[in-house]
Amino acid sequence: MASQFEKVCEVQKLCPDTKLVSIGDRESDIYELFSSALEDPQAPRLLVRAEKSRNRQLHDDSLWEYVFKQPVSGSLKIHVPRSGSRKARDTWMDIRFTQVTLKPPKRLNKHGPATVWAVYVLEQEHSDPIEWMLLTTEEVPDFQTAKRCVNWYANRWGIEVYHRTLKSGCRIKNRQLGTADRLQACLGVDMVVAWRIYHLTMLGREIPDVPCTAFFSDAEWKALCCYVYKTSTPPEEPPSLQQSIYMVAGIGGHLGRKGDGPPGTQTLWRGLQRLDTATEMYTIMNPQAYPNMPSGP
């Protein structure tokens, strides 16, 4: 995490008019990071989820006890993605925030105390509630700022999905290209593919009922329908985005059984690959509809 923060600092120097935020999970709860981030007013903001086992003490209470005593400033609805046996859900989170002063560990007494802001998030009415203690160098004077900090941290789920798509969907680890330059070029292409898959899944979650033309081109959705329904005549109206996602996943191997859950990144990746071939063939077979299609040799 220290090297990551240093890299963000380098980028911050190149973008002095842009606020950058370095976000870390519990393994990033390192006192030196807060001390370093507070030394330079021009440094990027730091937002880290605190590790409860560190048992930080504030006054006569622990960090958790002290912040929990603060009044709930408001609630925020967030989407919790599926993870293992945990099902995806939309849930409400209570938010508390306050300024706190962290004491340095004994080995770092020369650093002095670090004054930061704590944003405590607790899920409402759940048997296994989500609980986050976020420590940040960003000033949090009101609920709107606290809510923004929570959204910053919640975005890590999207980042994890993107990297999982790159790793598992595009199978970047299986590339055997011989040189770093070739791997770098391939990674550049795969990152675009991973972004497209991630973008498709996000649109399917947020606007599932819109026509699929929100993502697919005219040739793509028509080729998809012809391929799936084994017909040469596409429907007059495009299907919904959600229907199209399941059709793409279906040609990628998703069985669509009741207990299968939503399509994963690997099936979408395979489905989009096959859709590219189907779209190319569809445009070749319908030259009158796509006159700009380049002719063969």
Side-chain angles (χ1 to χ4, degrees):
M1 178 63 187
S3 59
Q4 172 187 311
F5 182 71
E6 291 172 359
K7 291 179 180 178
V8 178
C9 288
E10 293 174 3
V11 177
Q12 182 70 84
K13 293 177 181 178
L14 300 175
C15 310
D17 297 327
T18 303
K19 179 192 292 186
L20 299 183
V21 183
S22 180
I23 300 175
D25 222 329
R26 284 171 290 187
E27 64 272 11
S28 304
D29 185 6
I30 304 170
Y31 188 85
E32 292 95 318
L33 278 178
F34 294 103
S35 179
S36 177
L38 291 169
E39 284 178 359
D40 182 5
Q42 304 304 317
R45 302 295 189 269
L46 183 64
L47 177 70
V48 170
R49 181 180 173 185
E51 171 56 58
K52 196 169 186 177
S53 64
R54 294 192 185 282
N55 195 29
R56 285 195 172 93
Q57 296 296 313
L58 300 175
H59 310 292
D60 297 327
D61 296 319
S62 69
L63 172 63
W64 259 256
E65 292 170 342
Y66 179 78
V67 180
F68 186 75
K69 289 179 180 179
Q70 307 305 312
V72 175
S73 59
S75 299
L76 172 66
K77 186 179 182 180
I78 67 171
H79 178 77
V80 182
R82 182 180 64 171
S83 177
S85 60
R86 184 188 71 193
K87 296 182 178 179
R89 65 181 186 273
D90 292 321
T91 188
W92 285 93
M93 315 283 281
D94 288 336
I95 299 177
R96 298 172 172 86
F97 67 91
T98 187
Q99 193 174 42
V100 298
T101 299
L102 306 178
K103 298 178 182 179
K106 293 182 179 180
R107 62 183 176 82
L108 296 173
N109 281 333
K110 63 178 181 179
H111 285 265
T115 300
V116 297
W117 290 82
V119 180
Y120 178 68
V121 183
L122 183 63
E123 186 176 9
Q124 298 176 358
E125 300 177 358
H126 196 274
S127 58
D128 185 21
I130 292 173
E131 179 188 29
W132 299 335
M133 179 70 74
L134 306 178
L135 300 176
T136 179
T137 58
E138 171 78 352
E139 185 176 353
V140 186
D142 51 39
F143 172 66
Q144 292 302 319
T145 310
K147 186 168 66 172
R148 185 166 68 242
C149 290
V150 175
N151 281 324
W152 283 345
Y153 184 73
N155 282 336
R156 86 190 200 284
W157 279 322
I159 296 170
E160 289 173 356
V161 171
Y162 174 77
H163 283 92
R164 186 166 62 247
T165 302
L166 188 62
K167 178 182 176 182
S168 301
C170 299
R171 299 181 181 178
I172 189 65
K173 292 181 66 176
N174 294 342
R175 306 298 190 195
Q176 298 180 10
L177 300 175
T179 67
D181 289 341
R182 292 175 182 175
L183 182 61
Q184 188 175 20
C186 181
L187 180 60
V189 175
D190 281 334
M191 288 177 70
V192 175
V193 174
W195 172 85
R196 192 171 185 233
I197 295 173
Y198 176 66
H199 182 53
L200 176 60
T201 57
M202 292 299 100
L203 289 178
R205 191 187 80 195
E206 296 172 3
I207 49 173
D209 298 324
V210 302
C212 67
T213 50
F215 182 86
F216 296 101
S217 69
D218 181 76
E220 284 176 328
W221 75 260
K222 289 181 178 180
L224 177 63
C225 291
C226 291
Y227 185 91
V228 170
Y229 297 118
K230 311 303 180 188
T231 178
S232 60
T233 305
E236 294 185 1
E237 297 295 329
S240 71
L241 185 60
Q242 186 176 54
Q243 289 173 320
S244 298
I245 289 174
Y246 273 87
M247 285 195 288
V248 170
I251 64 178
H254 187 260
L255 298 179
R257 297 170 299 191
K258 187 175 180 180
D260 285 340
T265 55
Q266 290 192 45
T267 53
L268 286 175
W269 177 70
R270 288 195 297 265
L272 287 173
Q273 280 191 315
R274 291 169 183 169
L275 177 59
D276 284 344
T277 303
T279 302
E280 184 177 4
M281 181 57 68
Y282 181 81
T283 55
I284 292 173
M285 301 301 292
N286 294 273
Q288 70 283 357
Y290 305 97
N292 295 325
M293 180 73 180
S295 58

